[in-house]
Amino acid sequence: MSHTSMDPTKMGVGRSIAVLTSGGDAQGMNAAVRATVRVGLYTGAKVYFVHEGYQGLVDGGDNIRPATWESVSMMLQLGGTVIGSARCMDFRGREGRTKAALNLVKLGITNLCVIGGDGSLTGANQFRTEWSTLLIDLLKAGKITKEEAKRSSHLNIVGMVGSIDNDFCGTDMTIGTDSALHRIIEVVDAITTTAQSHQRTFILEVMGRHCGYLALVTALSCGADWVFVPEMPPEEGWEEHLCRRLANVSRGCRLNVIIVAEGAMSRDGNAISSEDIKKLVEKSLGFDTRTTVLGHVQRGGTPSAFDRILGSRMGVEAVMALLEATPETPACVVSLSGNQAVRLPLMECVQVTKDVTTAMAERRWEDAIKLRGKSFENNWNTYKMLAHINPPDTKSNINVAILNVGAPCAGMNAAVRSAVRIGIIQGHNMLAVHDGFEGLAHGNVSTHKHTHKHTHKHTHTFFLPSKYIEEISLTIAKFNIHSLVIIGGFEAYVGGLELVTAREKYEELCIPMVVIPATVSNNVPGSDFSIGADTALNTITSTCDRIKQSAAGTKRRVFIIETMGGYCGYLATMAGLAAGADAAYIYEDKFSIRDLETNVEHLVQKMKTDVKRGLILRNENCNANYTTDFIFALYSEEGKGVFDCRKNILGHMQQGGTPTPFDRNFGTKMGSKAVLWITEKLKEVYRHGRIFANTPDSACLLGMRKRALTFQPLADLKDQTDFEHRIPKTSWWLKLRPIMKILAKYNIPLDTSEHAHMEHVIKKKLSVPEPLMK
């Protein structure tokens, strides 16, 4: 493929792209539409909106209109879809599709970008396969000329999946899923507080059609007592089991929460509704029970930061996929795997999605869960482990200590809670260390009792172990600690390294250790994400929305906002993408006074258009001399008579707040995975009646790398670390910075060399013997 030499700003010259949203709406669709339009225009293509989905494609006329740069301004923070969506019967008939083809041919549109669920995408693929025969019909009927038919001989299609159900196979997350979880968790949190005032059982019914993803992640995130998902109906006799469970739980707890997916059913295929469960609980246990059916509130509201970034990244990838497509490439769908954008053959994804339905109809429940994909399967396994906690009769006599290090961040409690629960299930004795490394030195250790909903807060101090190694090793000996789980940011990582280095002098430190990255700055080497960063990002994004909104309807105004993150530009960059910033200044991407001048000039030009707002983000440590005050003064001076400036330093609000669904779920998985790893490690290093671990791989950092959670020896991460600035030497998200600049209308080169190749999702059938599956 020699497209690397191609200038991306010329790739689309002489071509036209149409974008439509179809099927049910989902938050984040607007971000995808905006990115598709702007990147399309950036490549030199003509871009059209198709209003009202396929209905607009069939009706044509005013429904298909040219899109401009300004026409997608201010839509990033809106839920739903601005260009409208409609269920369309006409497009299902050949006559309707012929009309649609005529409308496209007349406008010279041969590239179609469809954002919708599997039904919408299947329709798009059928349209593409029939295209040549539709042209023949139109030629025969004399509705198009030979020239027109020749000019439009081939139709390219790229899909993006927008659906809150997350029911499309091949992608980890569909656009809208994360936002729907935000709505659900808000409701669960609100209900939890009222329920704790009374002794009550709450049953929540969430959407998702035939897919249990929303229900499952909600149950994981809020520690529900029971979850009903269509992929894995409860065992026979679940009624008694559920009542027994609730009766046991309610002894020490004022609240029972049951989550039901709307498609939930029993093993014999009968629906299980929230009403059925309510009747059962009231009749058998006499508990005061309330049901809440969430309904369309889950599809509403402003999209989360994740969905905006996802929509924007998919939009960029979709335009590239359309412009690189040849008549031979199959229609593709752009999706997300880990943090990577990938292209998948559309019909393979649709096939696997249908296979799930078949597996459920044939009662092959295990297959249904496997076919849903890795992410779903991991969630299911984690939930199964955490939900039914029965400490074993035989104790392991292992003492595992957990400590939190550094500044607090949202989601830490989820990690502690799942680590403790998994430890108890394994028969370990779980110890809490208060006050981080300092507490470890001073012996502030207590036993973790089994926590039902919330773990007690650990206090945090900034304190590295090197000076107190002697005391720390004494505490480890005194409490007979066999293993350490260290949860925190850069200090947790450095502290872990110091303990490993001291192993040669202190035998007590020869125990398995695992560091779980948790910090809003997302600056820990060895992990693409840290617990807490998603929550901070959402806080910054929603604040930027409010600040931008405050300028709507006023005269021209530019806002300069300072974000946290130490020397790490993650928050400023990602919030810039999510909030639609004009620039984000960060330490990793050096800038000079000339860059600042370019940005000011760019804003002066922007203010001449219909868009009268500018947003500039600045990471707190991006440059010692170009301070927030300096940048504010510079913009104020240069913008005189054109725009006025306001500045805002967000400060510690970025560290607080209730954890987002992502952080709760991520924390839960990290905590449980860490303790399972420790359990295995302890078996390996147990020799002659004692534990002795001094190999590099017995002290690891658990991080999210591309697509998987992996354990990496702390010692191996040293080469990847800039210790002076407390950041990794390379960061995956730096590749997203050009996207932000292009979406802000900068004419900069976009590196298309590292593009996503088509990957396949249909593996060998599930009945294949194990070794071949590798």
Side-chain angles (χ1 to χ4, degrees):
M1 288 211 154
S2 58
H3 64 277
T4 36
S5 53
M6 183 96 189
D7 171 1
T9 59
K10 306 275 187 295
M11 278 174 78
V13 174
R15 303 176 67 178
S16 296
I17 299 173
V19 55
L20 68 94
T21 53
S22 167
D25 62 305
Q27 309 97 316
M29 279 184 166
N30 290 324
V33 169
R34 169 181 177 266
T36 307
V37 168
R38 288 191 169 174
V39 176
L41 294 170
Y42 158 87
T43 64
K46 263 184 156 168
V47 186
Y48 291 85
F49 285 136
V50 179
H51 290 268
E52 310 309 327
Y54 284 124
Q55 195 60 57
L57 206 58
V58 174
D59 297 346
D62 209 22
N63 289 305
I64 308 176
R65 288 184 276 215
T68 63
W69 197 272
E70 287 80 36
S71 62
V72 291
S73 174
M74 280 308 265
M75 69 194 272
L76 198 53
Q77 60 270 49
L78 302 174
T81 163
V82 172
I83 57 174
S85 175
R87 307 273 177 209
C88 174
M89 289 315 289
D90 293 347
F91 192 75
R92 291 189 178 172
R94 184 160 170 113
E95 193 187 333
R97 291 194 293 277
T98 313
K99 278 185 192 163
L102 175 63
N103 293 328
L104 292 181
V105 170
K106 288 295 180 198
L107 292 166
I109 300 169
T110 54
N111 296 285
L112 192 58
C113 181
V114 179
I115 309 166
D118 56 346
S120 314
L121 299 184
T122 310
N125 190 65
Q126 185 182 5
F127 190 37
R128 180 191 137 126
T129 16
E130 288 183 343
W131 185 256
S132 51
T133 61
L134 294 173
L135 293 190
I136 293 168
D137 290 359
L138 288 168
L139 259 174
K140 276 187 191 151
K143 292 193 174 160
I144 58 171
T145 64
K146 275 201 170 123
E147 283 65 47
E148 285 174 326
K150 199 174 166 188
R151 197 184 60 188
S152 301
S153 63
H154 180 72
L155 178 70
N156 291 322
I157 278 184
V158 169
M160 287 184 256
V161 191
S163 155
I164 66 163
D165 305 336
N166 204 24
D167 58 354
F168 194 78
C169 293
T171 180
D172 285 355
M173 286 294 255
T174 56
I175 297 170
T177 306
D178 187 63
S179 303
L181 285 168
H182 274 254
R183 292 296 151 297
I184 296 169
I185 293 293
E186 277 165 32
V187 173
V188 174
D189 285 351
I191 280 179
T192 311
T193 48
T194 156
Q196 279 170 341
S197 315
H198 312 268
Q199 211 162 1
R200 282 208 173 134
T201 299
F202 269 91
I203 301 167
L204 259 100
E205 186 177 305
V206 300
M207 286 171 93
R209 278 196 327 206
H210 310 298
C211 177
Y213 186 87
L214 292 177
L216 182 53
V217 175
T218 303
L220 256 182
S221 304
C222 70
D225 298 293
W226 197 285
V227 66
F228 290 91
V229 295
E231 289 83 353
M232 183 58 82
E235 303 281 345
E236 298 298 328
W238 60 269
E239 294 87 350
E240 291 96 64
H241 187 174
L242 171 67
C243 292
R244 204 166 52 242
R245 182 87 204 284
L246 294 181
N248 284 344
V249 170
S250 67
R251 279 204 294 266
C253 172
R254 302 179 61 80
L255 162 72
N256 293 311
V257 178
I258 298 168
I259 310 287
V260 192
E262 63 181 353
M265 54 180 181
S266 64
R267 297 246 145 170
D268 46 19
N270 295 322
I272 298 177
S273 72
S274 41
E275 259 324 294
D276 299 337
I277 303 164
K278 177 181 174 189
K279 282 179 189 145
L280 169 74
V281 174
E282 286 183 332
K283 191 174 159 219
S284 308
L285 297 170
F287 285 178
D288 187 1
T289 308
R290 298 276 187 279
T291 55
T292 305
V293 178
L294 289 188
H296 277 69
V297 72
Q298 296 160 83
R299 291 231 295 244
T302 177
S304 66
F306 180 91
D307 273 331
R308 300 178 196 200
I309 294 165
L310 178 62
S312 303
R313 287 179 69 185
M314 283 186 174
V316 176
E317 192 60 47
V319 171
M320 291 303 152
L322 277 172
L323 298 181
E324 287 166 10
T326 65
E328 284 68 58
T329 42
C332 85
V333 54
V334 176
S335 72
L336 184 79
S337 179
N339 63 21
Q340 294 180 292
V342 294
R343 299 179 190 176
L344 305 166
L346 173 68
M347 288 325 284
E348 281 188 24
C349 294
V350 169
Q351 187 52 53
V352 179
T353 306
K354 289 195 173 123
D355 290 347
V356 179
T357 320
T358 312
M360 282 157 59
E362 292 172 4
R363 306 191 183 174
R364 304 196 318 273
W365 315 115
E366 298 294 338
D367 287 356
I369 285 196
K370 273 208 172 56
L371 286 163
R372 278 272 182 239
K374 263 279 163 272
S375 156
F376 192 96
E377 199 179 346
N378 290 344
N379 283 326
W380 176 250
N381 292 336
T382 310
Y383 177 77
K384 266 198 318 204
M385 251 185 321
L386 286 170
H388 303 274
I389 177 160
N390 292 314
D393 303 332
T394 48
K395 288 275 182 275
S396 67
N397 294 330
I398 295 287
N399 298 322
V400 179
I402 301 183
L403 63 159
N404 286 353
V405 180
C409 65
M412 269 186 172
N413 283 335
V416 173
R417 174 177 172 271
S418 76
V420 171
R421 296 189 81 163
I422 292 289
I424 291 170
I425 293 167
Q426 305 276 326
H428 306 330
N429 207 359
M430 302 304 284
L431 305 172
V433 180
H434 303 272
D435 303 330
F437 289 122
E438 191 178 355
L440 194 57
H442 297 153
N444 293 352
V445 181
S446 64
T447 313
H448 257 299
K449 290 285 174 274
H450 165 50
T451 48
H452 182 66
K453 284 283 182 285
H454 298 284
T455 43
H456 42 266
K457 305 276 189 290
H458 296 232
T459 37
H460 302 257
T461 50
F462 291 94
F463 180 100
L464 284 170
S466 47
K467 298 190 190 78
Y468 297 90
I469 291 286
E470 178 86 33
E471 289 86 335
I472 286 176
S473 59
L474 288 171
T475 302
I476 289 178
K478 179 183 166 190
F479 289 93
N480 198 10
I481 292 170
H482 300 113
S483 181
L484 282 178
V485 178
I486 307 166
I487 303 175
F490 202 82
E491 287 89 7
Y493 159 65
V494 174
L497 265 176
E498 287 178 1
L499 294 179
V500 173
T501 314
R503 274 175 170 180
E504 44 201 69
K505 279 212 196 116
Y506 295 95
E507 218 177 285
E508 292 83 355
L509 300 175
C510 294
I511 55 175
M513 303 176 205
V514 63
V515 175
I516 296 178
T519 163
V520 298
S521 306
N522 198 24
N523 61 337
V524 181
S527 191
D528 294 344
F529 297 108
S530 297
I531 297 168
D534 186 66
T535 304
L537 185 57
N538 276 287
T539 307
I540 298 168
T541 305
S542 61
T543 309
C544 289
D545 285 352
R546 286 178 199 169
I547 288 171
K548 272 171 84 173
Q549 203 181 355
S550 73
T554 57
K555 52 184 187 302
R556 303 175 178 90
R557 188 163 281 171
V558 172
F559 293 94
I560 291 150
I561 295 173
E562 181 186 301
T563 68
M564 285 170 92
Y567 283 94
C568 178
Y570 178 80
L571 288 178
T573 298
M574 294 309 235
L577 254 178
D582 295 281
Y585 300 120
I586 65 167
Y587 168 77
E588 292 94 335
D589 197 353
K590 301 282 181 263
F591 58 98
S592 66
I593 190 74
R594 268 169 279 320
D595 298 309
L596 293 173
E597 282 170 0
T598 308
N599 295 150
V600 175
E601 182 47 40
H602 188 265
L603 280 169
V604 169
Q605 292 309 316
K606 180 178 172 178
M607 296 297 170
K608 293 178 181 165
T609 69
D610 299 344
V611 186
K612 311 281 193 256
R613 286 163 324 280
L615 179 66
I616 305 291
L617 296 179
R618 179 188 173 276
N619 158 265
E620 56 185 358
N621 290 349
C622 64
N623 187 303
N625 296 314
Y626 300 144
T627 59
T628 302
D629 287 339
F630 174 88
I631 290 176
F632 172 69
L634 176 80
Y635 275 75
S636 300
E637 180 57 37
E638 297 297 315
K640 262 193 189 143
V642 182
F643 57 78
D644 65 347
C645 272
R646 295 281 186 276
K647 73 170 178 207
N648 214 314
I649 294 174
L650 297 184
H652 279 72
M653 62 179 276
Q654 295 162 82
Q655 275 185 8
T658 19
T660 55
F662 178 87
D663 277 335
R664 294 184 199 205
N665 195 0
F666 189 45
T668 301
K669 280 197 227 169
M670 295 280 263
S672 60
K673 205 167 171 78
V675 176
L676 292 172
W677 177 83
I678 280 174
T679 307
E680 286 311 301
K681 234 351 134 201
L682 285 166
K683 288 178 194 158
E684 279 173 39
V685 299
Y686 185 73
R687 299 268 187 294
H688 313 300
R690 67 193 198 103
I691 282 156
F692 183 76
N694 65 347
T695 53
D697 69 349
S698 63
C700 283
L701 179 128
L702 171 56
M704 164 78 90
R705 279 294 179 124
K706 287 190 175 165
R707 304 186 181 188
L709 289 179
T710 51
F711 290 91
Q712 303 141 95
L714 288 168
D716 293 2
L717 294 170
K718 273 202 280 211
D719 301 342
Q720 303 173 24
T721 311
D722 169 352
F723 285 97
E724 187 196 343
H725 298 100
R726 303 158 55 90
I727 51 173
K729 285 182 183 165
T730 55
S731 292
W732 65 273
W733 48 264
L734 283 167
K735 289 204 181 81
L736 302 185
R737 285 182 64 78
I739 296 178
M740 180 182 75
K741 291 174 187 165
I742 287 167
L743 293 175
K745 210 172 183 175
Y746 282 90
N747 216 347
I748 58 149
L750 179 68
D751 175 16
T752 54
S753 60
E754 246 209 41
H755 92 184
H757 289 287
M758 192 81 89
E759 298 189 7
H760 291 281
V761 286
I762 293 193
K763 304 276 188 291
K764 297 182 179 71
K765 287 285 171 269
L766 289 166
S767 56
V768 175
E770 265 311 289
L772 295 177
M773 297 286 284
K774 293 283 176 280

